[in-house]
């Protein structure tokens, strides 16, 4: 017989709706009518709904667990790879250190450094030898130049053969007499001029060289203007060596003559010996 009064799940038939509903549902105010509806809802459906919810909760929990475990394993795998790479590098360094690779490179560098230092020392020694050789050659060249200059000085004649050399000038003492202008002309014909006395040393030299028994024309006159003495090169007289009381222009005396005592103004027409002067030739020096 089929008993419709007995439910298929008799164990649920006697339970209250608060027991069959999920936790917390009872807090909702379903009202007496809703409560009445649930009481009239068939018990098998309530049982199936609870089972379905448990399955969904279980499935979600399972998926979440799988996801977390997958992430953990993935991170662990990456860490393992990094660890393996570091370990591999350490093994390589250990092997290199073991077979002396590092020290071998250092030793090679030391050898190269020693080779470079040795080469530098050789170049330095070679440079010093070159400098010593250059110095020796310069000394020899200097000695040779001095010897050549000495030889040239013996060959060099700064003055003509019948002229006298004093400092930078050559002097010619005439052997006959002429008036002042003719004597000046004779000097100019010989590429010189009547002597210009420009220092006490020159004056002393001429007094020593000239025959004291004669009087000698020098290149000084006041022919252009009385009392204003000029040298033959146009310069005015600055340092004079007149005899005492001279120049006195006694009888129109406009030309200067050298005597054993000093200078005297005398008539230019008077015939005297004369002294020519010209610059000495410079010998070539190395
Ligand atoms: Ca005069
Ligand atoms: Ca005089």
């Amino acid at each position: 017989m089929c008993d419709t009064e007995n439910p298929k799940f008799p164990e649920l038939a006697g339970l209250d709706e608060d027991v069959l509903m999920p936790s917390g549902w009872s807090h909702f105010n379903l009202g007496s009518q809703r409560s009445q509806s649930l009481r009239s809802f068939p018990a098998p459906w309530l049982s199936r709904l609870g089972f379905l919810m448990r399955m969904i909760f279980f499935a979600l929990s399972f998926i979440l667990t799988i996801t977390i475990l997958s992430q953990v394993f993935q991170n662990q795998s990456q860490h393992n790879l990094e660890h393996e790479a570091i370990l591999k590098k350490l093994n390589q360094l250990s092997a290199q250190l073991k077979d002396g690779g590092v020290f071998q490179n250092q030793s090679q560098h030391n050898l190269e450094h020693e080779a470079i230092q040795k080469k530098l020392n050789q170049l330095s020694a070679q440079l010093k030898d070159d400098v010593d050789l250059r110095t020796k050659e310069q000394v020899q060249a200097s000695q040779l130049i001095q010897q050549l200059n000495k030889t040239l000085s013996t060959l060099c004649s700064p003055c003509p053969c019948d002229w006298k050399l004093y400092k930078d000038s050559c002097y010619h003492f005439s052997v006959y007499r002429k008036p002042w202008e003719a004597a000046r002309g004779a000097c100019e014909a010989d590429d010189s001029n009547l002597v210009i006395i420009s220092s006490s040393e020159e004056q002393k030299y001429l007094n020593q060289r000239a025959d004291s028994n004669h009087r000698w024309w020098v290149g000084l006159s006041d022919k252009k203007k009385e009392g204003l003495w000029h040298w033959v090169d146009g310069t005015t007289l600055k340092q004079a060596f007149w005899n005492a009381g001279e120049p006195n222009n006694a009888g129109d005396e406009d030309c200067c003559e050298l005597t054993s005592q000093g200078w005297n103004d005398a008539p230019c027409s008077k015939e005297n010996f004369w002294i020519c002067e010209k610059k000495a030739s410079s010998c070539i020096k190395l």
Side-chain angles (χ1 to χ4, degrees):
M1 293 176 61
C2 180
D3 189 1
T4 56
E5 295 295 327
N6 294 330
K8 189 174 276 185
F9 299 95
E11 67 277 13
L12 296 177
L15 294 178
D16 191 76
E17 65 181 40
D18 292 339
V19 176
L20 294 175
M21 291 184 66
S23 177
W25 282 26
S26 59
H27 298 288
F28 292 98
N29 185 12
L30 298 176
S32 55
Q33 186 177 0
R34 177 80 177 272
S35 179
Q36 187 66 31
S37 300
L38 284 174
R39 288 179 184 278
S40 62
F41 203 79
W45 286 104
L46 288 175
S47 177
R48 290 174 184 172
L49 180 61
F51 177 76
L52 182 61
M53 291 181 66
R54 286 190 184 93
M55 291 301 292
I56 291 172
F57 177 75
F58 175 76
L60 290 176
S61 297
F62 179 76
I63 293 171
L64 181 61
T65 303
I66 292 299
T67 303
I68 292 173
L69 288 175
S70 175
Q71 188 65 38
V72 169
F73 284 127
Q74 187 176 359
N75 292 339
Q76 185 63 36
S77 177
Q78 186 173 357
H79 289 163
N80 289 339
L81 289 175
E82 293 176 354
H83 176 76
E84 288 178 0
I86 293 172
L87 190 60
K88 186 176 180 181
K89 186 65 179 177
L90 283 175
N91 289 334
Q92 288 178 351
L93 289 174
S94 177
Q96 190 176 5
L97 186 63
K98 186 177 180 180
D99 63 11
V102 174
F103 297 107
Q104 189 174 0
N105 291 337
Q106 184 64 37
S107 177
Q108 186 175 358
H109 290 165
N110 290 338
L111 289 175
E112 292 176 353
H113 177 76
E114 289 177 0
I116 293 172
Q117 186 65 45
K118 187 177 180 181
K119 188 67 177 177
L120 283 175
N121 291 336
Q122 290 176 349
L123 291 174
S124 178
Q126 185 176 357
L127 184 63
K128 185 177 182 303
D129 292 342
D130 291 344
V131 170
D132 292 342
L133 181 61
R134 292 284 180 86
T135 303
K136 188 176 180 180
E137 289 176 349
Q138 286 180 350
V139 170
Q140 291 176 346
S142 178
Q143 292 174 349
L144 182 60
I145 289 173
Q146 289 179 359
Q147 188 175 358
L148 287 173
N149 277 329
K150 189 175 181 180
T151 303
L152 282 173
S153 65
T154 60
L155 298 174
C156 179
S157 180
C159 296
C161 60
D162 54 346
W163 291 60
K164 304 297 181 184
L165 175 66
Y166 176 72
K167 293 188 175 179
D168 294 333
S169 292
C170 299
Y171 299 92
H172 174 67
F173 298 86
S174 73
V175 294
Y176 47 92
R177 296 185 176 96
K178 282 188 176 187
W180 191 89
E181 283 290 349
R184 182 181 183 181
C187 289
E188 290 176 350
D190 215 356
D191 196 23
S192 63
N193 214 329
L194 286 172
V195 63
I196 297 172
I197 304 171
S198 52
S199 68
S200 58
E201 290 83 4
E202 190 174 14
Q203 170 68 21
K204 184 178 180 180
Y205 168 77
L206 294 174
N207 270 334
Q208 291 173 347
R209 293 297 303 181
D211 189 344
S212 60
N213 295 319
H214 304 308
R215 294 193 174 208
W216 304 84
W217 287 129
V218 299
L220 183 66
S221 74
D222 66 345
K223 294 171 67 173
K224 291 184 178 178
K225 186 176 181 180
E226 179 59 32
L228 190 59
W229 293 87
H230 285 85
W231 292 105
V232 288
D233 64 353
T235 58
T236 57
L237 177 64
K238 293 184 176 64
Q239 186 177 12
F241 301 96
W242 296 109
N243 291 333
E246 303 295 342
N248 56 6
N249 195 36
D252 193 18
E253 298 174 325
D254 294 336
C255 292
C256 177
E257 61 181 6
L258 176 70
T259 72
S260 58
Q261 304 300 317
W263 298 353
N264 174 51
D265 57 341
C268 296
S269 58
K270 179 188 174 186
E271 291 189 345
N272 269 339
F273 293 92
W274 69 92
I275 305 172
C276 297
E277 179 186 9
K278 64 180 176 182
K279 189 173 179 61
S281 299
S282 57
C283 293
I284 299 174
K285 290 185 179 180
L286 299 177

